[in-house]
């Protein structure tokens, strides 16, 4: 695929704080203290509608890590005590059973994703126990997709063989950066040999898709260091790459206070790091899927994009759409299609509630008809690069959205009329900005939002 030439000035211009749109409305607009009874009722209704049609997706958050990577913004618990695995799995099992009681038919499991934290902190035996708990008494869809996030330092061949035997075919490794100085300052020392071994072993075990997460904007990164990292990554040919912008949020992620801010690249250098990585990946045959994701042309993510079958949820882009994603574990997020909820973020509170037989959902959101329609516009733009408007929404579109599109139209990013919108080839790189024009919650609250809510587009 021919990649358009990007003007750095354009990137600089649109490098504003914007959501990643893994949900709409985005998390800052959710309600605190969600009504648990209303959530349970909505879960039962949506499960009944979605399960028989598409099956369900399950996300399990496995929060433990042996050491703290200082850049990390995830919900994690640092410990070297592996005795915690048992209790955590017992609570997950209880939570799953609580949901199972609200299911009036046998669940059809289409997707399982184990995320973290470090899922490979858990022993292969425990991961087997977890997956068996979920699939026991359930129907596993013939076209299921099971995936896991692995740490290159502690993913063993035994983990991979166990997961493969359970139906896992996708693994995502947190590579982040391969420069030893950068790895040292972010406290994530994982030599290239470990990444190579983990990748080779995943392929040897039979995994058909290996994803790497990379980050640009980390302390001590330079143009040369990122070039070297990307060169090494390209050697290993991961099927998919997520090339994320480092979000510096020391007010919420305390670990980020452990390195000196003067070691962070300047905004100009960060932009250069992104452009360098992007150009190298494009030059090596990777196709830009949108919002930081790249894939080789044989990968399903790319073919799904070509066919207009891409979807987006909390795990980023996916090739399936089940309509119901159930999140289990501390801080896990569920998406029922017309409602979101996130479990309590502290392990102690999560344990306490589940052990007492109460759902641990804490904050969330029930979508209105208007939310559902604008959620669809945003999803269409993010996944297909085009959308069609309902005539009934014209007053809202004219009041909030079209004025936001004036500059992107002048810059050649997007074309629209009162019936439809089309993202241009260049506009594809600014999908988050274009989506934000249709974020009515954001547009209605622009003046009252605090500065530090969303990370910058680059
Ligand atoms: S980056 Fe991953 S491994 Fe490191 S602390 Fe965060 S969740 Fe744990």
């Amino acid at each position: 695929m021919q990649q358009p030439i990007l003007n750095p000035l354009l990137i600089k211009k649109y490098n504003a704080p914007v959501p990643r749109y893994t949900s709409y409305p985005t998390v800052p607009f959710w309600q605190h203290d969600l009504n648990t009874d209303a959530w349970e009722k909505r879960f039962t209704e949506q499960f009944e509608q979605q399960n028989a049609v598409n099956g369900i997706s399950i996300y399990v958050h496995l929060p433990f890590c042996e050491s703290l990577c200082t850049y990390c913004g995830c919900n994690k618990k640092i410990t070297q005590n592996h005795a915690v695995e048992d209790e955590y799995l017992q609570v997950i099992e209880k939570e799953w059973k609580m949901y199972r009681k609200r299911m009036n038919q046998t669940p059809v499991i289409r997707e399982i994703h184990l995320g973290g934290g470090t899922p490979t902190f858990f022993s292969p035996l425990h991961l087997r126990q977890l997956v068996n708990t979920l699939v026991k008494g359930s129907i596993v869809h013939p076209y299921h997709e099971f995936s896991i996030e692995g740490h290159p330092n502690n993913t063993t061949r035994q983990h991979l063989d166990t997961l493969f035997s359970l139906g896992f075919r996708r693994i995502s490794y947190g590579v982040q950066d391969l420069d030893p100085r950068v790895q040292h300052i972010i406290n994530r020392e994982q030599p290239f040999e470990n990444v190579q071994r983990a990748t080779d072993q995943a392929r040897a075990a039979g995994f058909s898709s290996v994803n790497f997460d990379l980050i640009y904007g980390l302390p001590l990164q330079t143009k040369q260091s990122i070039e070297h990292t990307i060169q090494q990554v390209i050697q290993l040919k991961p099927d998919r790459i997520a090339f994320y912008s480092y979000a510096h949020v020391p007010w919420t992620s305390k670990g980020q206070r452990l390195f000196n801010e003067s070691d962070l690249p300047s905004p100009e250098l960060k932009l250069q790091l992104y452009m360098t990585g992007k150009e190298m990946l494009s030059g090596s045959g990777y196709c830009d899927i949108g919002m930081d994701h790249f894939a080789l042309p044989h990968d399903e993510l790319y073919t799904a994009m070509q066919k207009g079958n891409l979807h987006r949820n909390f795990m980023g882009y996916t090739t399936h759409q089940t309509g119901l994603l159930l999140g289990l574990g501390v801080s896990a997020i569920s998406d029922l299609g017309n409602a979101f909820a996130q479990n309590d973020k502290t392990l102690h509170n999560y344990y306490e509630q589940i052990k007492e037989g109460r759902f641990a959902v804490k904050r969330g959101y029930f979508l209105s008809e208007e939310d559902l329609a604008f959620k669809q516009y945003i999803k269409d733009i993010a996944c297909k690069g085009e959308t069609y408007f309902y005539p009934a929404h014209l007053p809202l579109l004219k009041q909030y959205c079209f004025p936001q599109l004036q500059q992107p139209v002048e810059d050649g990013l997007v074309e629209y009329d009162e019936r439809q919108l089309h993202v241009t080839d260049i506009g594809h790189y600014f999908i988050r900005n274009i989506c934000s024009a249709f974020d009515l919650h954001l547009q209605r609250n622009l003046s009252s939002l605090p500065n530090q809510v969303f990370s910058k587009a680059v």
Side-chain angles (χ1 to χ4, degrees), residues 256-299:
Q256 296 181 349
R257 297 177 198 164
L258 294 172
F259 50 73
N260 202 330
E261 289 199 359
S262 62
D263 287 327
L264 287 171
S266 66
E268 290 72 25
L269 177 57
K270 192 175 177 189
L271 186 60
Q272 227 187 351
L273 299 176
Y274 169 70
M275 294 292 287
T276 302
K278 200 191 115 40
E279 276 161 26
M280 288 179 73
L281 292 174
S282 303
S284 303
Y286 284 90
C287 307
D288 195 322
I289 303 296
M291 294 207 214
D292 329 313
H293 285 63
F294 296 81
L296 286 173
H298 70 256
D299 190 88

Side-chain angles (χ1 to χ4, degrees), residues 64-65 67-69 71-74 76 78 116-118 151 176 188:
F64 304 111
C65 304
S67 60
L68 174 71
C69 312
Y71 65 86
C72 176
C74 302
K76 74 273 173 188
I78 309 300
T118 306
H151 194 308
Q176 324 308 3
R188 190 182 174 104

Side-chain angles (χ1 to χ4, degrees), residues 37-209:
D37 293 339
W39 169 256
E40 263 186 71
K41 188 166 172 286
R42 187 66 69 92
F43 173 81
T44 306
E45 287 165 8
Q46 286 301 101
F47 175 79
E48 192 174 343
Q49 281 187 28
Q50 300 294 335
N51 186 54
V53 185
N54 292 314
I56 64 167
S57 304
I58 300 171
Y59 170 80
V60 186
H61 191 73
L62 298 167
F64 304 111
C65 304
E66 286 196 344
S67 60
L68 174 71
C69 312
T70 51
Y71 65 86
C72 176
C74 302
N75 187 290
K76 74 273 173 188
K77 180 92 183 155
I78 309 300
T79 178
Q80 274 97 42
N81 174 15
H82 283 258
V84 296
E85 294 178 34
D86 263 319
E87 184 183 18
Y88 194 76
L89 291 189
Q90 282 165 19
V91 180
I92 292 275
E93 181 171 359
K94 176 143 197 212
E95 187 181 21
W96 170 239
K97 284 184 174 161
M98 285 161 59
Y99 277 106
R100 281 290 271 118
K101 277 194 189 146
R102 272 97 188 152
M103 297 177 186
N104 50 9
Q105 41 182 285
T106 308
V108 179
I109 301 180
R110 180 91 192 233
E111 288 179 308
I112 294 178
H113 183 78
L114 308 182
T118 306
T120 45
F121 174 97
F122 284 73
S123 69
L125 205 66
H126 275 142
L127 291 179
R128 181 182 291 284
Q129 180 190 327
L130 167 64
V131 176
N132 283 342
T133 298
L134 301 176
V135 300
K136 191 175 159 204
S138 305
I139 297 167
V140 176
H141 194 284
Y143 298 112
H144 60 276
E145 188 172 302
F146 293 176
S147 53
I148 183 166
E149 293 164 16
H151 194 308
N153 283 358
N154 67 9
T155 304
T156 62
R157 182 63 197 253
Q158 208 192 342
H159 276 114
L160 294 161
D161 288 338
T162 302
L163 290 161
F164 183 84
S165 71
L166 293 164
F168 283 69
R169 297 292 180 269
R170 295 192 180 283
I171 187 156
S172 177
Y173 286 123
V175 174
Q176 324 308 3
D177 189 282
L178 289 166
D179 185 276
R181 285 175 70 234
V182 175
Q183 290 190 356
H184 182 72
I185 200 168
I186 61 173
N187 197 36
R188 190 182 174 104
E189 305 205 17
Q190 48 179 31
F192 174 72
E193 293 67 41
N194 288 12
V195 179
Q196 186 171 35
R197 179 196 44 77
T199 306
D200 291 347
Q201 288 189 342
R203 294 209 166 107
F207 280 70
S208 53
S209 180

